[in-house]
């Protein structure tokens, strides 16, 4: 019990708690705000886990090139688009936009609709292109 009352040890315990919290924060953040996916992780979700892909860009950008299997949805009417597409809420969902910013904003809305797992393609289609992954035209 003397270990806990010594001043030097209290500093070590405080350091341990602070460093532990700093290590846990990214995990907590992803649990609360959805999972950010790298292009490689998104590919795994799409191919192995049969994730739905919802593209939130404009129709023109979608026609120029989109991820394989992606469905187009208007960000302003995302709930109606999901209902119209009849997406299975038990399967994972990957949100895609040009840079990832619009997808992050739409994440809360999509989670409220009852999807079990939702991920955002970090960096959006730009990151997908940078990783030299194919786009469908």
């Amino acid at each position: 019990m003397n270990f806990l009352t010594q001043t030097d040890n209290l500093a070590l315990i405080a350091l341990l708690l602070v460093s532990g919290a700093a290590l846990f924060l990214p995990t907590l953040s992803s649990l609360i705000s959805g999972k950010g996916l790298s292009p490689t992780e998104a590919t795994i979700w799409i191919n192995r886990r049969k994730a739905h892909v919802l593209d939130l860009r404009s129709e023109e950008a979608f026609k120029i090139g989109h991820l394989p299997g992606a469905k187009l949805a208007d960000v302003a009417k995302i709930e109606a688009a999901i209902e119209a597409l009849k997406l299975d809420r038990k399967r994972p969902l990957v949100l895609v936009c040009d840079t990832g910013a619009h997808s992050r904003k739409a994440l809360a809305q999509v989670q409220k609709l009852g999807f079990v797992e939702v991920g955002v393609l970090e960096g959006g289609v730009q990151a997908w292109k940078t990783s030299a992954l194919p786009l469908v035209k």
Side-chain angles (χ1 to χ4, degrees), residues 37-48 121-122 127-128 131 133:
L37 302 172
S38 69
T40 304
E41 290 171 318
T43 303
I44 291 169
W45 276 36
I46 295 165
N47 293 335
R48 293 187 186 160
L121 178 59
E122 292 296 333
W128 189 268
S131 296
L133 292 168

Side-chain angles (χ1 to χ4, degrees), residues 26-70:
T27 303
L28 181 62
S29 173
S30 70
L31 289 173
I32 292 170
S33 65
K35 177 140 178 68
L37 302 172
S38 69
T40 304
E41 290 171 318
T43 303
I44 291 169
W45 276 36
I46 295 165
N47 293 335
R48 293 187 186 160
R49 302 183 66 206
K50 306 297 182 213
H52 297 292
V53 180
L54 205 56
D55 196 319
L56 306 176
R57 298 176 301 148
S58 68
E59 188 172 351
E60 296 80 30
F62 184 80
K63 287 180 181 177
I64 291 171
H66 57 272
L67 275 66

Side-chain angles (χ1 to χ4, degrees), residues 2-20:
N2 289 338
F3 178 80
L4 295 176
T5 58
Q6 293 177 353
T7 312
D8 292 341
N9 293 340
L10 288 176
L12 288 174
I13 292 169
L15 179 64
L16 175 71
L17 292 174
V18 169
S19 63

